[in-house]
Amino acid sequence: MATTKPGERKLQILQTLATMLEQPKGEKITTAALAARLDVSEAALYRHFASKAQMFEGLIEFIESTVFGLINKITEQQENGLSQVQAMILMLLNFAERNPGMTRVMIGDALVNEDERLQTRMNQFIDRIELAFKQSLRIAATQGQANESDVAVRANLIANAVLGHWQRYAKTGFKQSPSEHASAQIAILLA
């Protein structure tokens, strides 16, 4: 049997968990099913993660670092506030489309019946995305492209629209693309 380098098995567990979350039916994932998929014992899973919640935390950390790393890159590269918002929306929709299992985590579907702190963390993730929209809309307001008085409302609307696209993508068994009609809808949201 080939030996795995430190951290490789942990990554393999997280990748397998994410793959299992891509199943449109979305059944509850048990550690027994995850262990069977990996052809290891449940005890082997617990050598790498103290709990299933810790496995989900690993996925959440990946989501957060990827999404906020990309948001930071967008804000560094784009000076125009509305262009920042548009790029962020497209990135968020494309991230979901490329990572259907992660989408189920982002909308909380995969976290039902799990430790409630996981859902709290994903709620904070959405709040941080909304805050990023607010910051870019404030820049747009200073550039004369947005109304300062509706920045908070517009940021909330945009965050909810993104969340709605993710929801629909997951609820249609990953058939309804989250980026379908995105350009036209972004134009309306930013008008």
Side-chain angles (χ1 to χ4, degrees), residues 3 5 8 18-19 40 42 48 50 76 82 96 116 119 133 152 160 165 168 170 174 186:
T3 57
K5 293 179 187 157
E8 274 185 17
T19 300
V40 298
E42 282 185 79
H48 300 282
E76 287 168 12
L82 290 183
E116 70 182 50
Q119 184 59 58
F133 288 141
N160 286 332
H165 279 265
R168 187 150 188 209
F174 309 115
I186 291 169

Side-chain angles (χ1 to χ4, degrees), residues 1-189:
M1 186 173 179
T3 57
T4 57
K5 293 179 187 157
E8 274 185 17
R9 177 61 81 181
K10 201 171 189 172
L11 182 60
Q12 185 183 33
I13 292 167
L14 293 176
Q15 287 171 333
T16 303
L17 176 58
T19 300
M20 291 174 75
L21 289 169
E22 291 177 11
Q23 301 311 307
K25 293 247 189 284
E27 286 105 32
K28 184 172 173 10
I29 294 174
T30 63
T31 52
L34 180 59
R37 181 75 71 94
L38 287 160
D39 200 26
V40 298
S41 68
E42 282 185 79
L45 294 178
Y46 290 114
R47 279 195 286 277
H48 300 282
F49 295 96
S51 64
K52 190 165 72 163
Q54 203 176 70
M55 293 176 206
F56 278 109
E57 283 175 337
L59 291 180
I60 292 170
E61 284 166 17
F62 169 79
I63 292 166
E64 289 173 337
S65 66
T66 302
V67 165
F68 293 114
L70 291 169
I71 285 175
N72 289 339
K73 188 183 265 186
I74 288 166
T75 58
E76 287 168 12
Q77 293 174 350
Q78 297 275 349
E79 287 183 30
N80 182 295
L82 290 183
S83 294
Q84 288 178 8
V85 174
Q86 180 178 9
M88 284 188 262
I89 295 169
L90 290 172
M91 176 275 294
L92 291 165
L93 298 177
N94 288 325
F95 179 83
E97 196 160 359
R98 286 190 203 108
N99 300 284
M102 302 294 183
T103 302
R104 291 197 50 230
V105 174
M106 293 187 303
I107 65 169
D109 268 16
L111 306 177
V112 173
N113 300 321
E114 301 299 336
D115 190 309
E116 70 182 50
R117 78 177 186 276
L118 298 171
Q119 184 59 58
T120 299
R121 190 162 169 189
M122 289 317 303
N123 293 344
Q124 292 167 343
F125 168 77
I126 301 298
D127 290 344
R128 285 177 63 198
I129 288 172
E130 186 175 331
L131 182 61
F133 288 141
K134 273 185 201 170
Q135 290 169 335
S136 294
L137 288 167
R138 282 193 183 107
I139 291 169
T142 65
Q143 296 168 336
Q145 299 174 323
N147 188 343
E148 179 68 40
S149 65
D150 72 358
V151 163
V153 171
R154 190 176 297 253
N156 181 261
L157 176 64
I158 294 167
N160 286 332
V162 168
L163 191 56
H165 279 265
W166 292 345
Q167 286 272 359
R168 187 150 188 209
Y169 182 50
K171 300 298 183 186
T172 61
F174 309 115
K175 289 176 180 60
Q176 176 82 39
S177 166
S179 59
E180 187 176 330
H181 308 299
S183 295
Q185 292 175 356
I186 291 169
I188 292 169
L189 289 169

